[in-house]
Amino acid sequence: MTTSNPDPELANEKRGIVSTSPSTEENMSSTGQPDTSMSSLKKINNRIEGLAGLEARGIDRVLPSERQAPSHAADLQVAVLWFSANLSLNNLATGLFGPMVFGLGFLDSALLAVFGTILGSCSTAYMATWGPQSGNRTMVVLRYFMGYWPAKLPTLLNVVLMVGYTTIDCIIGGQVLSAVSGGSMTIQVGIIVVAIVTLIIAVFGMRIFHKYEQYVPIFYAFNPMLMSSRYAWIPQVIVLAVLIGTAGPYFDAAAEPTVTGSTLAANRLSFFTLCFYVPNSWAAAASDFYVYYPERTSRLKIFLLTATGLTLSFNLVYLIAIGLATGLTNNKDWTDANAVSTGALIVAAYDPLHGFGRFCSVVIALGVIANSTPSIYSAALGCQVLGRGSYGDHGVGE
């Protein structure tokens, strides 16, 4: 009695695994001969992937044997990544909405921002726990929750969202660089500068991004040889503290809402939702940055560290922004600068410090790169999920 050999493709399909490699038939032309154009493209692709430093894995699952070794430094990087990435101007612009757009007072805006951020951070922290557990990117994990084809809809929306955030980052960063230069650099040129740096880091992958998070901010204020990489967020915190010191006297902590009744209630809900939404929007990318963590990494640890990094960074920036917004009525220079752009408002807040203030403005402008890099990185992964890709070469939990 003879037994037939099992079909490896059928076996893979039963396990939920689809090969991403083109089949022999796909590499054949209509005449039955090997397609030389496909072979040439594959050679070029392999050569590009072989370049030192390029991350070519894509959405394939990271096997447990390929993960990094557990360490306290890696654990700390979970919180540092989110803390560093969200000390950025686009989040500061969000905080301005409370008093400026919704007519809320300082106390209303502050409370809504704090509790909205805490709640929004929890959803992102939960999704982050799937990275070490599965070794898959967030949108790939959705295939197991929703199915192969339904998962493409939220993936498409996430790509649009991440590209949108990156666009805002580039615009605000360009505004700051233009304002610092006194107009000699146009906003368009500033946008291009921020976009190019972001693209370079995103192309070379998350390992380069972590290096950027660790070393680039320090370069502008400290000698990196003298400090541990885990303190890379210090320059951003310092310039924000300087901003509080120079702009704080104009903050109006006693500012009252300018609207009343049902309008006040509706505006409070709107601002709370906005402050909830921004940290929550990272949920669609949260797992992307943890696929190299060991499979047995504590889910509670990932959850708490992620939530901590998000909550601290967002609340710090939101509260500063709320203070700036309440100070607009007390400072004509700020009002005039805000009429130009949000970036010009930040530079105007540093004006009393003259040259050092412009230096601080540049450091803050560089912060948007740390925010836009994970956005464009996740958007690129989402584009792969939208294609005729797979679950990866290995299934979850295999």
Side-chain angles (χ1 to χ4, degrees):
M1 180 176 179
T2 61
T3 58
S4 60
N5 293 328
D7 186 346
E9 292 294 330
L10 180 59
N12 282 345
E13 184 177 351
K14 289 181 178 179
R15 290 188 300 165
I17 306 167
V18 183
S19 175
T20 57
S21 303
S23 64
T24 303
E25 289 79 3
E26 290 174 335
N27 285 329
M28 301 293 287
S29 66
S30 58
T31 61
Q33 299 298 321
D35 192 335
T36 56
S37 62
M38 286 295 295
S39 299
S40 300
L41 289 175
K42 188 172 182 180
K43 289 179 180 179
I44 295 174
N45 180 71
N46 291 338
R47 180 169 297 182
I48 293 175
E49 290 183 356
L51 294 176
L54 278 176
E55 182 177 3
R57 174 177 295 278
I59 60 173
D60 289 340
R61 184 189 179 218
V62 181
L63 295 176
S65 59
E66 299 173 316
R67 313 286 180 88
Q68 64 188 26
S71 67
H72 294 302
D75 292 342
L76 183 63
Q77 185 65 21
V78 173
V80 169
L81 184 151
W82 295 110
F83 186 72
S84 299
N86 290 294
L87 292 175
S88 60
L89 291 180
N90 65 320
N91 295 326
L92 190 144
T94 301
L96 294 173
F97 275 61
M100 289 175 53
V101 176
F102 296 114
L104 302 177
F106 183 91
L107 182 60
D108 299 79
S109 299
L111 289 175
L112 293 169
V114 169
F115 287 104
T117 297
I118 292 173
L119 187 60
S121 299
C122 288
S123 59
T124 297
Y126 169 74
M127 288 304 301
T129 63
W130 289 95
Q133 294 291 314
S134 68
N136 279 312
R137 315 292 182 165
T138 314
M139 293 296 103
V140 176
V141 173
L142 279 187
R143 291 175 171 177
Y144 296 89
F145 290 158
M146 303 179 63
Y148 182 88
W149 291 104
K152 290 184 181 292
L153 177 58
T155 299
L156 175 62
L157 296 176
N158 183 57
V159 170
V160 174
L161 173 67
M162 293 300 166
V163 172
Y165 273 139
T166 303
T167 303
I168 295 173
D169 286 332
C170 293
I171 291 173
I172 296 180
Q175 290 175 349
V176 172
L177 294 179
S178 176
V180 168
S181 68
S184 59
M185 174 189 289
T186 64
I187 294 178
Q188 291 84 346
V189 173
I191 292 172
I192 292 173
V193 170
V194 176
I196 289 176
V197 175
T198 299
L199 178 63
I200 291 173
I201 298 175
V203 166
F204 281 86
M206 285 310 299
R207 292 182 181 179
I208 299 298
F209 171 63
H210 282 300
K211 293 296 183 183
Y212 171 83
E213 289 277 319
Q214 293 170 358
Y215 297 114
V216 169
I218 295 179
F219 174 79
Y220 289 93
F222 300 101
N223 183 345
M225 299 301 293
L226 301 179
M227 302 184 65
S228 169
S229 63
R230 70 185 60 180
Y231 300 111
W233 44 267
I234 288 181
Q236 287 291 328
V237 173
I238 288 178
V239 295
L240 288 174
V242 171
L243 178 60
I244 295 173
T246 187
Y250 299 98
F251 292 0
D252 186 4
E256 295 292 333
T258 58
V259 293
T260 58
S262 59
T263 301
L264 176 60
N267 287 0
R268 283 172 173 170
L269 179 60
S270 297
F271 186 60
F272 174 84
T273 303
L274 181 63
C275 293
F276 161 82
Y277 164 75
V278 178
N280 171 74
S281 64
W282 281 115
S287 295
D288 296 354
F289 315 120
Y290 300 136
V291 294
Y292 291 101
Y293 279 74
E295 193 174 27
R296 297 187 180 277
T297 302
S298 168
R299 298 188 70 174
L300 179 61
K301 178 167 60 178
I302 292 292
F303 178 90
L304 292 177
L305 289 173
T306 301
T308 298
L310 287 167
T311 300
L312 291 178
S313 57
F314 274 105
N315 281 332
L316 174 60
V317 176
Y318 281 167
L319 293 177
I320 293 174
I322 292 168
L324 286 172
T326 59
L328 285 174
T329 57
N330 302 323
N331 192 314
K332 185 179 183 301
D333 292 337
W334 288 11
T335 303
D336 294 340
N338 187 60
V340 176
S341 68
T342 301
L345 171 62
I346 303 303
V347 176
Y350 280 116
D351 268 352
L353 301 179
H354 306 293
F356 180 67
R358 289 191 290 273
F359 170 79
C360 291
S361 299
V362 172
V363 175
I364 280 191
L366 292 174
V368 302
I369 298 174
N371 182 268
S372 56
T373 297
S375 299
I376 201 67
Y377 179 84
S378 292
L381 294 171
C383 290
Q384 296 181 44
V385 176
L386 289 174
R388 296 181 60 188
S390 69
Y391 288 92
D393 291 336
H394 303 274
V396 171
E398 186 182 22

